[in-house]
């Protein structure tokens, strides 16, 4: 497809990026630490670590892995941590030792944890004590040899560390009892590492070496590990950086990071882009605790924020939202799931900062497209392809479709993964021999190059042969003033094949199913109107706030 989108690029955004400015993720890290040595890098639980401290702590952790655990280049190390100061120390430490990072959702069940540990063939894990009981249940079926355990406040000064760790364990009882053999204290690793040499020569890292095994959410089956190389991650960081160059300033940014860093969107955008800029990352440990999120971000003159639609929606509906100072905010990005129009419009109205939408997927490191910063109003699109990115809309036979036609979105660019770890068959299903990634998302492109996601291919509902896309119906229902949240799914119907079901969380306690049906009939074709409407107190979500349609079914 011709790159018709280039004529609508924001000023100064290049058509192509030079992704060989850096040779590895560690190259980005080392340059940032040298350039911004005395500036704050990350803050959490009221404590700040500078770029200098991050450099030294990650070095010490790397030295421990190499010398005492004898880890070598290419070994996989599991990270099972929420947003804490320990995360960037562990991440950059293991990369500096030449290892591969394998991110784990701390809320995994023992079965999910066991599968991913075995699939990644990892023998070392760094885990928060709060989740160690899960590891205990999975451990007998794995080949884990080294267990490094950290407590919530381990990176804080001594008195505060002991106070918070005691309260978390014995007062709030947030650490279930566990029994694990020969565990290693994270703090002992750091202290021991200070006395040891760093062995791995970072300059020997190759652009096509794997940096991350980033597992997909498993919504399309058993979770698979996307092999993301240093080239993939560096390229995507530079693509995003180029896109936002007009508003981001070196050494002056403070970004709110509620999305967990183990999520690829947060990892690439918040961690790496703002690291390269010399920015301060405000790590939010529990983004579901909206009152605490608001309390925490009120402490900062923040300039940027990322999140998912459900987070922005929850904040907008909280009584303390208007007490936040948004006067310094010049960048808001929604990713991970579709941003609903009603949420985008309310966010812009209340904060005077447009809520941009980014689109991506794990297999693309993750960003594929983004709304232009100069777009005046929400237009329902996922924006334009990023620099050095090609897209194609294709039918089920792989034939490229024309502008305005609906088909599967396919992507090609330097950010596209190497393939799935030890899974050539699944790799072949999504990645063509000439590098095109089949996203599984149904989309169309307009004459200006803007991409519109219609829905997930596998979430599409078939009502008597008519295609119904949940995103469209959710957007309509979410615009009803009595609705707080909504999820739409298809369920089996013996006559129609499938029928539409809407699961709703009320804002107005007097809202009825008839109210919703009448509202939908005004805005939707008859077969799209939900036949079944259910009200619940909450919707099932992933750890990053994405609505779990498979559970709604």
């Amino acid at each position: 497809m011709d790159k018709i989108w280039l004529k609508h690029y924001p000023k100064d955004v290049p058509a192509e990026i030079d992704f060989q400015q850096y040779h590895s993720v560690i190259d980005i890290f080392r340059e940032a630490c040298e350039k911004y040595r005395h500036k704050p890098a990350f803050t959490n639980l009221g404590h700040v670590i500078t770029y200098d401290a991050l450099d030294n702590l990650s070095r010490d952790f790397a030295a421990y892995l190499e010398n005492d655990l004898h880890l070598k280049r290419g070994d996989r190390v599991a990270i099972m941590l929420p947003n804490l100061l320990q995360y960037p120390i562990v991440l950059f430490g293991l990369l500096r030792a030449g290892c591969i990072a394998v991110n784990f959702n701390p809320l995994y069940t023992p079965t999910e944890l066991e599968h991913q540990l075995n699939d990644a063939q990892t023998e070392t894990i760094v885990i928060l004590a709060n989740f160690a009981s899960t590891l205990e249940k999975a451990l007998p079926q794995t080949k884990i040899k080294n267990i490094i355990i950290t407590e919530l406040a381990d990176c804080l000064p001594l008195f505060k560390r002991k106070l918070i760790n005691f309260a978390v364990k014995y007062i709030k009882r947030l650490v279930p009892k566990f029994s694990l053999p020969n565990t290693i204290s994270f703090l002992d690793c750091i202290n021991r590492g200070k006395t040891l040499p760093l062995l791995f020569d970072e300059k020997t890292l190759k652009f096509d070496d794997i940096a991350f095994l980033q597992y997909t959410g498993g919504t399309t089956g058993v979770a698979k590990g996307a092999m993301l190389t240093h080239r993939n991650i560096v390229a995507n960081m530079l693509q995003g950086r180029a896109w936002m160059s007009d508003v981001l300033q070196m050494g002056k940014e403070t970004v709110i990071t509620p999305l967990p860093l183990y999520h690829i969107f947060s990892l690439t955008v918040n961690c790496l882009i703002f690291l390269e800029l010399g920015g301060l990352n405000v790590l939010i440990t529990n983004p579901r605790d909206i009152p605490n999120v608001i309390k925490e971000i009120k402490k900062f003159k923040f300039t940027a924020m990322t999140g998912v639609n459900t987070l922005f929606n929850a904040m907008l509906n909280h009584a303390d939202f208007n007490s936040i100072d948004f006067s310094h905010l010049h960048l808001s990005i929604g990713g991970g799931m579709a941003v609903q129009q009603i949420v985008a419009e309310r966010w812009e109205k209340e904060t005077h900062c447009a809520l941009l939408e980014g689109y991506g997927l794990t297999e693309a490191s993750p960003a594929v497209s983004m709304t232009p910063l100069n777009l005046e109003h929400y237009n329902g699109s996922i924006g334009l392809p990023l620099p050095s990115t090609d897209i194609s809309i294709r039918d089920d036979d792989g034939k490229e479709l024309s502008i305005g036609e609906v088909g599967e979105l396919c992507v090609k660019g330097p950010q596209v993964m190497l393939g799935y770890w030890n899974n050539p068959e699944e790799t072949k299903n999504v990645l063509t021999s000439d590098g095109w990634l089949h996203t599984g998302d149904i989309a169309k492109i307009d004459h200006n190059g803007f991409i519109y996601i219609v829905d997930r291919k596998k979430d599409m509902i078939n009502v008597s042969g008519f295609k119904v896309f949940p995103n469209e119906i959710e957007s309509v229902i979410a615009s009803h003033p009595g609705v707080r949240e909504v999820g739409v799914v298809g369920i089996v119907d013996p006559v129609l094949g499938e029928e539409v079901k809407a699961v709703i969380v009320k804002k107005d306690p007097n809202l009825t199913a008839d109210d919703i049906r009448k509202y939908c009939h005004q805005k939707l074709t008859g077969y799209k109107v939900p036949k079944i409407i259910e009200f619940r107190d909450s919707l099932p979500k992933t750890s990053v706030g994405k609505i779990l349609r498979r559970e709604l079914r």
Side-chain angles (χ1 to χ4, degrees):
M1 177 175 285
D2 292 336
K3 294 190 175 185
I4 56 176
W5 49 85
L6 293 179
K7 60 184 177 181
H8 294 283
Y9 263 22
K11 184 182 178 182
D12 298 329
V13 174
E16 304 289 330
I17 52 108
D18 176 13
F19 52 84
Q20 294 186 333
Q21 294 175 44
Y22 299 100
H23 299 296
S24 69
V25 174
I26 291 304
D27 218 10
I28 298 171
F29 172 77
R30 295 290 291 133
E31 183 177 295
C33 288
E34 290 169 10
K35 193 172 182 179
Y36 305 106
R37 189 155 294 282
H38 301 297
K39 291 189 67 65
F42 290 87
T43 182
N44 178 249
L45 299 177
H47 185 63
V48 175
I49 57 173
T50 63
Y51 281 84
D52 187 53
L54 181 58
D55 187 11
N56 292 327
L57 290 166
S58 63
R59 191 221 75 88
D60 297 340
F61 187 72
Y64 177 83
L65 294 180
E66 293 178 300
N67 290 272
D68 281 19
L69 298 189
H70 307 294
L71 298 190
K72 59 188 184 300
R73 183 182 193 144
D75 284 347
R76 277 77 58 204
V77 178
I79 311 176
M80 196 165 176
L81 300 172
N83 280 2
L84 298 169
L85 295 176
Q86 293 93 309
Y87 185 94
I89 294 168
V90 170
L91 173 67
F92 293 114
L94 70 89
L95 290 175
R96 293 179 76 171
C99 298
I100 296 170
V102 188
N103 280 308
F104 283 70
N105 183 338
L107 300 182
Y108 271 172
T109 64
T111 301
E112 291 168 322
L113 178 58
E114 176 192 331
H115 162 73
Q116 191 166 314
L117 286 171
N118 288 332
D119 191 72
Q121 299 167 311
T122 183
E123 297 180 348
T124 303
I125 185 170
V126 185
I127 187 170
L128 187 67
N130 303 48
F131 311 112
S133 62
T134 304
L135 177 60
E136 180 186 355
K137 297 181 181 71
L139 192 65
Q141 289 76 43
T142 71
K143 295 182 179 180
I144 288 292
K145 294 179 181 177
N146 310 307
I147 303 171
I148 300 172
I149 290 193
T150 186
E151 294 186 65
L152 197 75
D154 275 358
C155 285
L156 274 57
L158 181 62
F159 177 75
K160 193 173 182 181
R161 177 202 315 159
K162 288 185 175 293
L163 183 65
I164 292 177
N165 284 343
F166 180 86
V168 167
K169 191 172 184 179
Y170 297 108
I171 299 176
K172 295 186 177 181
R173 299 187 181 278
L174 295 176
V175 183
K177 290 183 179 181
F178 63 89
S179 176
L180 290 169
N182 305 315
T183 59
I184 309 158
S185 159
F186 170 75
L187 290 177
D188 287 347
C189 295
I190 297 296
N191 290 329
R192 169 69 176 155
K194 293 181 192 298
T195 67
L196 301 171
L198 190 61
L199 304 177
F200 182 70
D201 183 357
E202 298 164 9
K203 294 180 181 178
T204 65
L205 274 174
K206 296 179 181 177
F207 218 28
D208 287 325
D209 283 348
I210 300 170
F212 295 89
L213 283 188
Q214 196 73 18
Y215 278 74
T216 64
T219 55
T220 58
V222 177
K224 303 173 286 292
M227 294 184 286
L228 302 180
T229 65
H230 285 271
R231 164 192 162 104
N232 294 149
I233 299 296
V234 168
N236 207 228
M237 187 281 292
L238 290 171
Q239 288 169 316
R241 171 86 167 78
W243 196 258
M244 297 180 281
S245 60
D246 277 355
V247 297
L248 298 180
Q249 300 181 61
M250 306 286 278
K252 295 184 178 180
E253 300 296 333
T254 296
V255 61
I256 304 298
T257 303
L259 274 176
L261 293 176
Y262 62 76
H263 188 280
I264 188 63
F265 175 73
S266 187
L267 178 67
T268 301
V269 176
N270 291 59
C271 186
L272 292 179
I273 289 181
F274 286 90
L275 182 95
E276 198 249 2
L277 284 164
L280 170 63
N281 248 285
V282 180
L283 299 180
I284 305 297
T285 305
N286 181 11
R288 294 188 176 194
D289 184 355
I290 300 300
N292 192 60
V293 171
I294 292 175
K295 179 182 176 182
E296 186 64 21
I297 67 178
K298 284 170 68 174
K299 301 173 184 176
F300 300 90
K301 295 178 179 179
F302 59 97
T303 60
M305 180 174 179
T306 64
V308 291
N309 184 80
T310 47
L311 173 70
F312 291 117
N313 187 43
M315 288 180 64
L316 284 163
N317 285 304
H318 194 275
D320 293 336
F321 179 76
N322 290 327
S323 67
I324 304 171
D325 178 8
F326 290 103
S327 62
H328 301 275
L329 182 67
H330 54 228
L331 181 67
S332 306
I333 306 176
M337 65 183 294
V339 173
Q340 293 171 338
Q341 181 174 354
I342 187 67
V343 174
E345 290 175 347
R346 284 189 63 197
W347 182 266
E348 184 172 1
K349 179 182 177 182
E350 299 291 340
T351 69
H352 305 291
C353 178
L355 179 51
L356 307 179
E357 185 163 6
Y359 165 81
L361 62 165
T362 300
E363 293 86 343
S365 306
V368 170
S369 67
M370 191 170 289
T371 311
L373 273 67
N374 58 3
L375 191 69
E376 293 184 2
H377 300 290
Y378 176 90
N379 67 359
S381 79
I382 55 166
L384 306 170
L386 292 175
S388 298
T389 302
D390 288 301
I391 66 161
S392 176
I393 307 296
R394 301 186 177 184
D395 65 17
D396 290 341
D397 297 322
K399 178 186 174 184
E400 186 167 81
L401 300 175
S402 302
I403 289 171
E405 292 188 289
V406 174
E408 184 176 10
L409 175 62
C410 298
V411 179
K412 188 176 183 180
Q415 71 269 49
V416 171
M417 68 171 182
L418 202 60
Y420 291 123
W421 174 259
N422 286 340
N423 203 331
E425 285 303 311
E426 285 293 339
T427 299
K428 191 176 179 180
N429 287 338
V430 300
L431 203 56
T432 66
S433 58
D434 57 348
W436 283 97
L437 173 67
H438 287 256
T439 68
D441 284 313
I442 302 300
K444 62 182 178 180
I445 185 169
D446 69 14
H447 63 280
N448 291 318
F450 283 88
I451 309 167
Y452 295 80
I453 293 292
V454 179
D455 224 309
R456 282 291 298 171
K457 195 172 184 178
K458 293 183 180 293
D459 284 339
M460 185 183 71
I461 305 167
N462 192 320
V463 180
S464 295
F466 292 100
K467 293 180 180 179
V468 177
F469 298 105
N471 275 354
E472 178 188 7
I473 304 170
E474 287 173 354
S475 183
V476 167
I477 296 176
S479 68
H480 190 289
V483 172
R484 187 177 298 277
E485 287 185 316
V486 59
V488 170
V489 293
I491 59 173
V492 176
D493 181 272
V495 178
L496 301 175
E498 285 185 294
E499 58 189 11
V500 180
K501 175 180 178 179
V503 183
I504 296 169
V505 177
K506 296 180 182 181
K507 183 188 295 183
D508 177 359
N510 297 316
L511 185 70
T512 67
D514 281 343
D515 293 335
I516 294 296
R517 288 195 185 92
K518 289 175 183 176
Y519 189 75
C520 288
H521 273 296
Q522 295 171 15
K523 299 175 179 290
L524 295 167
T525 306
Y527 64 83
K528 295 180 181 179
V529 175
K531 188 174 181 180
I532 300 171
I533 296 173
E534 179 183 323
F535 294 104
R536 293 190 191 177
D537 293 332
S538 63
L539 299 181
K541 300 185 183 78
T542 67
S543 59
V544 299
K546 198 173 186 177
I547 293 171
L548 285 166
R549 284 179 179 152
R550 67 177 183 271
E551 288 195 17
L552 291 181
R553 294 189 186 98

